[in-house]
Amino acid sequence: MYASSSSSSSSPAETLRAHLPTGTTTALVRVDRASTGEEQGRCLRARHGVAKGALVMRVPVDHAVSSRSLGRLLAAQTSSTTTSPTTTSPTACTTLRELPACRFRATLTPRYKQLLVLLHAASPAASPARAAYVATLPTSFAHMPTRWGAARVARLGPLVAPTLRNFCTRLSNEIDVCLLDVAPVLEHLVKTRPDLFPESCLAMFTREWVEWGYANLTSRSFDLALEEEEEEEQEEQEEQGAAGGGENAGGGGGVDDDEDDQGLVPFMDLMNHANTPSDATLCINVEQDKEDGKLYVCARALCDLQEGQELCFSYRLKGDALKFLFNYGFVPDDAQDVFYLMVDFPHDDDDVEGGSDDKEDSDAAAKPQEKPCDPLLAGALQSLGLPGTRIIAIPITDEAPMPDTWLWALRLRAMHLGEDRARFLGNFVSGEQIEMTQAHESSMWSTVAQTLESSLEHYQAAEASAAEPVELRFNKAAVRVLEKAVAKFIQVTGAQ
């Protein structure tokens, strides 16, 4: 858990509390400064004793920064705070269906909608409540791998660094696309809804700002979905009351359900993560108020809480340690240790790589993955349930330290690089009996031995010189998993 200091409550958080909407409950909570790795580290604590199951906090779902918020925002005819007393014009955009298409996509993705709501909240047109919320958000994410240098990523070793670099590269590419994709929509909003998106939003919407927005949305969002039974009741009510389509119908308002139920929840997101699920003191769910019918993000006590006890929750019950590190910038004790063995399938048109620094190596490693496989290789990989890409990542764990998928991928690689490639790979695609030569088997087992030996040597050496806790954690876990893989290799092959 994070250690709290004895400092008084932070001003931005208390300002936010004062501006939270009607229906919000935070009276049982106090805000303390804490060491969290962020420049404005805080934690929430119980103001006094609370019984198990009691409601500790709640915030209206409508107040969250979510993709659904954009439709509600556009439906507002004027903003409560504008730089000048403007009102919407007769041609003002008031529904999502009136938005133009993105540059590359026909519709706004849920993430794009979230970013636009956050951009409004950070603009001079924001309400006092939205402005107060933005003031509580971190301004720096130095603890996130996307802000690390290449050398720091490389220290995580051959079973972690390539995949982490790939995650970062993909996110960087996604942000590049986002900047171009959202531009026509934002220009339209600035033109038709200056009360919500003043001209200054165009200058604000830079790569640096979008990176900041992505970091907040990735690391601080809550699940805003109703429990299944309550969701069915809510859908029935919406169907009965629907007339002429909802806020997400048509035009640029296409909905992607995967991200549509995620959002930032003001004040509640000041909570920290419990180191393990058993350490969590609160559970978070969306509940429908039986009196006013509105939806609220509710935090209830998982145990009897004592005065001053930290209020924290578990982001998820289980999680891959590497994905946790990428998304949140830390790894909880209960995260599953999953490592990745990279298998590459070189093609004749691949560039010859010379000596370069780590960043160039990272970029070069990402390029082949962006090039499609030829249909024959792609079909062979897909017949094994693997993606048809030039580079694939095979997960290894304590339970499966030497997975069959890795062995088969290496067999395919030997066929891909060997003689009579078309015949051997074609058998995978056609479904005919698979043929393998002794050369294919020898190449596969040789690669397995070399990979396990070099990886184990790296992590054993790195374990003694780990500079940070996250490095030490990955090094120890990698040694453990690799030792199991070596034992499995010896058992299968009889090698010493």
Side-chain angles (χ1 to χ4, degrees), residues 196-352:
L196 299 175
F197 295 90
E199 191 170 355
S200 59
C201 286
L202 294 173
M204 288 173 58
F205 198 69
T206 62
R207 193 178 208 289
E208 182 179 8
W209 187 91
V210 174
E211 288 176 349
W212 173 81
Y214 263 78
N216 275 294
L217 291 166
T218 299
S219 64
R220 303 174 73 84
S221 288
F222 287 78
D223 185 357
L224 302 181
L226 270 171
E227 294 293 331
E228 188 172 345
E229 292 183 3
E230 293 181 343
E231 187 172 11
E232 291 175 359
E233 295 177 3
Q234 177 76 3
E235 287 175 353
E236 290 178 4
Q237 293 175 10
E238 290 177 354
E239 287 175 3
Q240 294 171 0
E247 66 179 43
N248 294 312
V255 175
D256 182 342
D257 290 335
D258 290 342
E259 290 184 344
D260 226 33
D261 291 328
Q262 300 289 320
L264 301 172
V265 182
F267 194 84
M268 203 172 281
D269 68 5
L270 297 174
M271 269 192 296
N272 291 320
H273 172 71
N275 207 31
T276 66
S278 61
D279 292 327
T281 55
L282 297 179
C283 64
I284 313 296
N285 287 300
V286 172
E287 302 176 11
Q288 185 171 17
D289 189 280
K290 299 191 180 300
E291 294 185 5
D292 63 20
K294 294 181 180 180
L295 299 180
Y296 293 88
V297 185
C298 296
R300 293 187 178 275
L302 283 171
C303 57
D304 290 337
L305 300 175
Q306 307 300 314
E307 179 181 351
Q309 187 170 354
E310 183 171 0
L311 305 176
C312 54
F313 73 112
S314 179
Y315 287 7
R316 58 186 69 173
L317 293 179
K318 294 181 180 179
D320 178 331
L322 180 56
K323 292 177 181 177
F324 237 113
L325 177 64
F326 177 72
N327 288 320
Y328 302 109
F330 69 93
V331 181
D333 289 348
D334 66 316
Q336 183 184 15
D337 293 307
V338 180
F339 298 95
Y340 294 89
L341 295 158
M342 310 303 289
V343 181
D344 69 301
F345 294 86
H347 276 227
D348 292 338
D349 59 347
D350 286 344
D351 296 330
V352 177

Side-chain angles (χ1 to χ4, degrees), residues 312-441:
C312 54
F313 73 112
S314 179
Y315 287 7
R316 58 186 69 173
L317 293 179
K318 294 181 180 179
D320 178 331
L322 180 56
K323 292 177 181 177
F324 237 113
L325 177 64
F326 177 72
N327 288 320
Y328 302 109
F330 69 93
V331 181
D333 289 348
D334 66 316
Q336 183 184 15
D337 293 307
V338 180
F339 298 95
Y340 294 89
L341 295 158
M342 310 303 289
V343 181
D344 69 301
F345 294 86
H347 276 227
D348 292 338
D349 59 347
D350 286 344
D351 296 330
V352 177
E353 296 177 17
S356 60
D357 61 24
D358 284 337
K359 184 178 188 305
E360 289 173 342
D361 287 342
S362 171
D363 293 342
K367 288 176 184 175
Q369 196 165 22
E370 295 169 2
K371 299 176 183 177
C373 283
D374 64 88
L376 183 60
L377 177 58
L381 286 166
Q382 290 165 357
S383 74
L384 296 175
L386 297 170
T389 57
R390 300 276 197 95
I391 299 177
I392 58 175
I394 308 292
I396 64 169
T397 63
D398 286 284
E399 295 74 24
M402 195 174 73
D404 287 341
T405 50
W406 182 38
L407 305 183
W408 277 105
L410 292 176
R411 291 186 178 106
L412 279 185
R413 188 180 190 276
M415 296 175 188
H416 167 68
L417 297 176
E419 296 179 358
D420 210 357
R421 172 183 184 272
R423 176 166 68 91
F424 289 112
L425 293 182
N427 290 337
F428 284 86
V429 179
S430 65
E432 297 180 11
Q433 183 174 353
I434 295 173
E435 298 180 68
M436 285 185 293
T437 68
Q438 184 61 41
H440 298 151
E441 283 293 288

Side-chain angles (χ1 to χ4, degrees), residues 150 153-154 160-170 358 361-362 365:
V153 173
V160 178
T163 305
L164 186 57
R165 282 197 297 259
N166 188 41
F167 287 170
C168 293
T169 298
R170 289 188 176 193
D358 284 337
D361 287 342
S362 171

